[in-house]
Amino acid sequence: MGLLMPLLLGGLALVGLPWFIHRVRRPSNNPTPFSSLMFLPKTVPPLRARKRIEHPWLMALRMLALVLLALAYARPYLLVRADAVPSATSKRQHVLLVDTSLSTTAGGQFEKTMEAAQACLAALGSDPVAIVTFNENAEVIAPLGAPDAASALARVVPTHGATDVLAGLRMAEEVLRLPSKPTVGEGREESIIHLVSDLQRTGLPDDATAFSLARSLSLKLIPVAPLPPGNTAVEAMVLEARAPSTLVARARLRNYGSERIDGTLEFWLNDALAASQPVSLQADGGVNVSLSAQSDLGRTARVEMRLAVADSMEEDNHRYAVFNPEPVRAIGVVIDPATDRSQPIPFLEAALAESQPVPWQWTPVEPAALAEVEAPVLVLPGPSTMTVDEAEKIVAYVDGGGGLLVVPSHAGFPEALNAGLLRPSGLEVSTAKFDAIDPSRYALLSWIDYDDPAFQAFRSAAYSDFSMLRFNNYYSLAVDPNAAIQVAARLEAPGETSPDPAMVTFKRGAGRVAVWAFPLEPDWTNITRTRRFVPLLHETVALLLPPLAPLREHIACEAISAPPALSVDGLRLRAPGDGEARPFALESKPGGGFIHGFYAWSSATGPEPEVVEAVNLRPKESDLGSLSAEEFLLRIGAASEGVVSGPNPANVPIVVHWEYGYPVLILLAVACLLESALAVFCSRPVAVEQRQP
Amino acid sequence: MPSVVQRNIAPEDLAQVNDLWLLAQTLVAGQQLGLHRSPHSGVSVEFAQYRPYAQGDDPRFVDWRRYGRTDRLHIKEFHEETNMRCTILLDCSASMGYGTTALTKFRYAQILAASLAWLLTLQHDEVALAAYHERIETHIPFQRRGHQVRRLIAALEGLTPGGQTATGDALAWAGGVMASRGMVVLISDLLQPLPVVETQLRALRARRHDVLVFQIADIAEETFPFTSEVTLRDVEAPEERPADQVHIRDQYLANRAAHFDRIREVCLGHEIDFESLRTDRPLDVALQQFLHRRTHALLRTSKRALGGGGG
């Protein structure tokens, strides 16, 4: 029998406390006066000569409770010897579960792992064996009873994946539960999982105790020698573009070792060293570092942070990220060359061209070219007339996924647009609110939906005031209450009780349309002369733009899927270290996973890579702390018979144990209950016998 | 049959009053006298002897029943009518000072003695007081002068318990100082060896004294309530002895019961009235119960003397 935490057995020093308390409570030397001792027996020995303890059973129970408490904390376990080597006549089937995670490459651990696995395989003799390798995922490289298990094992290589022991155990369970086991003999067979692993601490999730190995399975642990201590890693990296041409990389560095490590952090940009900085990492600590370099922010850049230190595992000293410039999106402004450009168009042009950080560029679009518009958003300022054909092109543009902002003209609203675009959606721009413009009469934005995407940016108290906007006239928008039209703001004219829609949006087809009720002419509204116009225009345009595709970062061992922006036909992938790009066929993962680095996609039509993706290691794999065999088994709640583990310098499976923590706690609870009951009993007042004179 | 009014004055209430005179009056007041004066003026109710009739004797006292049997005339003689003399022997040894309730045994005894003195005085009996421990500490002899009871009560007030118990010696002393028949009232806890006490009680009865014994006890003495190991110290003797509720209580109670059973047996055998009082019980009730029993006993004696004395 042993103790997992023997130091806590020092709590036994408290066992003497109940004896001391019970002894102290013996009567004091102060005698009690009594009328006469003539009726007391004369043969009672003196009190001092007697070593009696008050309530000895109660004291014994309390001491027992303290013993059990100390024992429970010390976590006793019982060694159970078992025959680790299966006999030739036993009916057994085995799964050899081999850890191939990145941590096994630290300090030459993988060679030891393979030696242990091969020795175990050899010791199993003719018993049916399956070989399963695992990192973050598990893979069966040799099914149960396969004749070429040894050669399959010889081909196992380490991967760049993190560790997930439970994934391996589940796969091993799955293999051993296969209904057809051709090599299984008659009678009850024994199923054994031989786990060869470095028992990395991060290889088990926090809730590993929720996992329970099937009771029909035995687990034999073959721990490889403890991982070498001390490892550093570039844990994370983010990129930031600073106009006009600076790319900033911020990295998080981590030192898992117990000693300070000094090194150099290098910023590699497109395979060239762009910047470097000496770093000093304190023991078991981390630091954030920032490096920058000049870069063309309009082009994709491959960024690598490289930590030049001497540590146990070199792979995690690199971290990769791809800078993809945000595409400049065109905003088309429909301009009729025949119209007067002195009116709202210049306002719009100026507003759309407002300084950074507006990620778009406006471009004029002539009505004749509406069918070929490629810009994702069109702004339609104030056409008073429109042909049906032009309206149809605009409708087709919206239906095809385009965004459209309609700003009416002071000269009227084209009926073709009403008929072709607005009325079918439940909206109509009708007549002007007032027949004439009176500078002294104006409407205000009396109602604003700050949850509408166009106004969300104005929620804060500093920007939510729109009272300076005055509208001397505007168009009445007839909104079908049954239509899915969002009214973002309303205008309230003087003397009116119900406000009128001022800004509305609706979806049509794959696109979206925003309609303003007011022209931008200065005599109609002063909005273009207020600070709210430019941000309001930008917000309205932004909600009409389609969302950008998110950047993708992969983790080693995850599958890489083809980027949606490229056509699958003729797609090629260039992996790190590959001389040639390979055709797109990534169902099989070489070596059980992906290595870290840059993967460049290109289509057959163009020689230059069109999409570059970064594959990185999982940060938790950099923590090389390992569990002891006992702790590993306790954390996974291994309780089935024949559970074995032990130190394994010569990869010989050894034995362990049943832990008796819970039974001890149950005994402790029972002892406490008995003690409470007995204490109540002992403290009861003694019944006084009333003697009848 | 005297009627009584029980007032049930709790000992805790008695403990609040320091004035023994007031206490005595309070306890006695409301109770009708248990002992009546003889309806026969000048004649005691207690028969003494027969003598032959002589010329000039009062023919009312001729025992005609005896004449019918013997053809001889005899005159019944009665005890001379005198006021009864009562000596109150009060134990004021150290053990009487023990108490676990509102009243110690000694205080309880003081109040009882004062009440008895007052009661007897009201009956025109003469009362003397002797307080003792290993010797007679205080003696207030019989006196016909007025305010005797006040002197007695004042003497009672000045007593404090202490010393060892010598009840037998006190009884012997009482028998010696009382020249004629009277009453001896012993108030004690009787926590001493019995042989000497028994001898002296018999001697008093042999001299035809009327003896009343009030045994005073504390509830702790009767129940031995000690729940943990204690060392007990005798208040009279320099002795300590360990006590253990579990092992000793039963033995203690048995020894005590045997002791007082012996005393009762002796008293019963010698027509000695024995009353056991406990300090946590109302004194007036105990007093009244005693007087009630006492009255009945005396009436029975009177009837025998008047109705069939000698016949």
Side-chain angles (χ1 to χ4, degrees), chain A residues 375-377 394-404 508-512 544-547:
Chain A
V377 172
I394 287 177
V395 170
Y397 169 80
V398 173
D399 288 343
L404 178 69
R508 183 193 163 100
R512 194 170 182 144
L544 296 174
L545 282 169

Side-chain angles (χ1 to χ4, degrees), chain A residues 29-253:
Chain A
N29 288 333
N30 295 329
T32 301
F34 196 57
S35 55
S36 176
L37 304 184
M38 62 183 294
F39 301 126
L40 290 178
K42 299 188 190 306
T43 59
V44 175
L47 195 61
R48 289 194 182 87
R50 296 155 60 193
K51 301 196 184 300
R52 286 184 49 204
I53 301 294
E54 187 181 50
H55 305 308
W57 284 108
L58 184 60
M59 181 191 72
L61 263 179
R62 288 168 173 168
M63 294 170 79
L64 176 63
L66 287 173
V67 169
L68 290 174
L69 186 63
L71 201 59
Y73 272 105
R75 297 176 69 182
Y77 67 90
L78 185 65
L79 283 174
V80 177
R81 294 283 173 187
D83 183 10
V85 179
S87 64
T89 58
S90 65
K91 298 183 178 64
R92 292 178 178 170
Q93 53 185 2
H94 309 267
V95 169
L96 182 57
L97 187 59
V98 184
D99 186 353
T100 58
S101 63
L102 178 66
S103 60
T104 61
T105 65
Q109 288 292 94
F110 191 73
E111 288 73 23
K112 298 176 185 174
T113 300
M114 293 312 298
E115 287 174 6
Q118 287 163 355
C120 179
L121 181 61
L124 297 179
S126 59
D127 288 351
V129 181
I131 299 182
V132 175
T133 61
F134 73 94
N135 40 43
E136 295 176 69
N137 306 295
E139 182 181 4
V140 180
I141 63 170
L144 199 63
D148 59 342
S151 57
L153 183 60
R155 292 192 296 271
V156 170
V157 294
T159 67
H160 282 63
T163 310
D164 185 351
V165 178
L166 296 188
L169 288 175
R170 291 190 182 101
M171 179 61 77
E173 275 188 323
E174 196 63 36
V175 169
L176 291 171
R177 287 179 192 160
L178 289 174
S180 60
K181 301 180 180 62
T183 59
V184 171
E186 293 181 358
R188 181 173 178 272
E189 64 267 8
E190 185 180 352
S191 300
I192 306 172
I193 299 174
H194 305 260
L195 173 60
V196 184
S197 172
D198 54 15
L199 303 184
Q200 189 180 19
R201 183 180 302 276
T202 56
L204 282 179
D206 292 339
D207 61 345
T209 52
F211 170 82
S212 61
L213 199 63
R215 295 198 67 85
S216 60
L217 301 178
S218 299
L219 174 64
K220 293 191 176 181
L221 205 61
I222 308 173
V224 185
L227 291 165
N231 183 39
T232 57
V234 181
E235 213 168 49
M237 178 169 60
V238 293
L239 298 179
E240 177 189 351
R242 289 185 186 169
S245 59
T246 302
L247 188 61
V248 179
R250 303 178 197 279
R252 168 77 177 170
L253 308 181

Side-chain angles (χ1 to χ4, degrees), chain A residues 396-410:
Chain A
Y397 169 80
V398 173
D399 288 343
L404 178 69
L405 171 61
V406 179
V407 182
S409 167
H410 69 288

Side-chain angles (χ1 to χ4, degrees), chain A residues 27 31-42 44-47 50 52 686 688-691 693, chain B residues 98 191 221-223 229 231-235 239-242 244-245 248-249 251-252 255 257 259 278 281:
Chain A
T32 301
F34 196 57
S35 55
S36 176
L37 304 184
M38 62 183 294
F39 301 126
L40 290 178
K42 299 188 190 306
V44 175
L47 195 61
R50 296 155 60 193
R52 286 184 49 204
V686 177
V688 174
E689 182 179 316
Q690 297 293 335
R691 179 179 172 83
Chain B
Y98 182 79
L191 294 178
E221 293 170 340
E222 287 196 355
T223 60
E229 288 186 355
T231 298
L232 298 178
R233 175 173 58 82
D234 194 319
V235 294
E239 182 184 2
E240 294 177 358
R241 207 173 297 174
D244 182 339
Q245 166 73 328
I248 291 179
R249 182 170 180 264
Q251 212 165 348
Y252 169 88
N255 292 341
H259 177 86
R278 209 164 76 182
R281 291 181 179 151

Side-chain angles (χ1 to χ4, degrees), chain A residues 421-489:
Chain A
L421 178 67
L422 301 185
R423 283 199 198 100
S425 300
L427 178 68
E428 180 178 352
V429 178
S430 62
T431 58
K433 184 70 174 180
F434 306 112
D435 296 334
I437 292 179
D438 180 358
S440 64
R441 179 188 61 200
Y442 50 85
L444 300 173
L445 278 178
S446 65
W447 183 90
I448 297 173
D449 181 6
Y450 289 100
D451 291 329
D452 190 278
F455 284 93
Q456 283 181 357
F458 303 96
R459 274 182 173 180
S460 71
Y463 309 111
S464 60
D465 182 16
F466 283 78
S467 61
M468 74 290 290
L469 272 60
R470 299 183 180 185
F471 301 85
N472 298 99
N473 205 353
Y474 55 91
Y475 286 97
S476 296
L477 298 184
V479 178
D480 182 354
N482 297 321
I485 295 178
Q486 286 81 41
V487 179

